[in-house]
Amino acid sequence: MSYGSFALYYDGLTRNIPYEKQAEYLLELLRRHGHVPGLSLDLACGTGSLTIALAKKGVDIYGIDGSIEMLSEAQQKAADENLQLLFLCQKMQSIDLFGTVDTVFCTLDSINHLVREKDVQETFRRVSLFLNPGGYFLFDVNSLYKHRCVLGNNTFVYDTEEVYCVWQNALEEKTTRVSITLDFFEKEGSLYHRSSEAFSERAYGVEELSAWLQAVGLQTEAVYGAMTFDKPEKTTERLMFVCKKLN
């Protein structure tokens, strides 16, 4: 899907995400695992906020996303920062790079947007294919706990200067798949214009993901609670995987 309406409001609804601190955290993870980023890919980069934050810290990086609308926002933001960054429109499970890279980042539960197991497996295979031996793949996912106990069948409301958003979830317990409906209300004079977006996310277990990674030559070196260097607990909502491409 294109996330067309979502792309217009994404940055306004995610202002609470500390992209600079997230970039620092990812680089510190690599440092602790003895890896220099080298040529890097921001997979499922969305509107490019993390791509830009990493680039400003000296990382040689480009971004890929499946939504042309998201990438349009990313290109404009990069231009506003006087950064010449490459953004490509490709789906995660069918990336086809010009050459290999040393590091792949994939954040903000992008893997969860792949609701079919075969798409997750194919994404991992494609990452491994284009990752140099000894290279690193860092990605985060929403945990099973978050899908069952936080997102669940709940409704969230966001009221920003740009838009009023109603976020409604419906949990399928058997698959931990959450169907998400977003309704956006943007004020136009004395009236409101309504637009909607619908998509799904699915949570996967650590053992399941690690097995799929191992099958394509990606070794899980560590799993942390996201934005920490600690082992996840039962109530950890987001997990950070640190994986290395085997020689």
Side-chain angles (χ1 to χ4, degrees), residues 107-176:
T107 60
L108 297 180
D109 57 87
S110 296
I111 295 296
N112 295 110
H113 284 254
L114 301 172
V115 297
R116 299 190 302 177
E117 294 181 0
K118 66 178 184 180
D119 285 336
V120 180
Q121 294 166 354
E122 181 61 16
T123 296
F124 290 168
R125 191 186 74 81
R126 301 295 288 184
V127 168
S128 181
L129 177 65
F130 291 104
L131 194 58
N132 287 322
Y136 272 72
F137 176 33
L138 274 61
F139 69 94
D140 66 28
V141 290
N142 283 336
S143 65
L144 292 168
Y145 167 81
K146 182 175 182 179
H147 271 232
R148 289 171 177 154
C149 302
V150 179
L151 296 179
N153 293 299
N154 293 320
T155 297
F156 305 92
V157 174
Y158 301 90
D159 189 0
T160 73
E161 294 180 2
E162 294 87 3
V163 69
Y164 185 85
C165 173
V166 180
W167 180 308
Q168 300 179 77
N169 297 330
L171 173 66
E172 184 180 284
E173 182 66 36
K174 184 177 180 180
T175 63
T176 64

Side-chain angles (χ1 to χ4, degrees), residues 7 11 28 45 50 66 80 106 112 114-116 134 146 214 221 228:
D11 287 334
E28 177 60 19
C45 66
L50 181 63
D80 291 343
C106 187
N112 295 110
L114 301 172
V115 297
R116 299 190 302 177
K146 182 175 182 179
Q214 189 71 33
E221 292 211 326
T228 78

Side-chain angles (χ1 to χ4, degrees), residues 29-41:
L29 278 177
L30 293 179
R31 191 191 68 78
R32 293 187 179 208
H33 285 266
H35 180 68
V36 176
L39 180 60
S40 301
L41 167 66

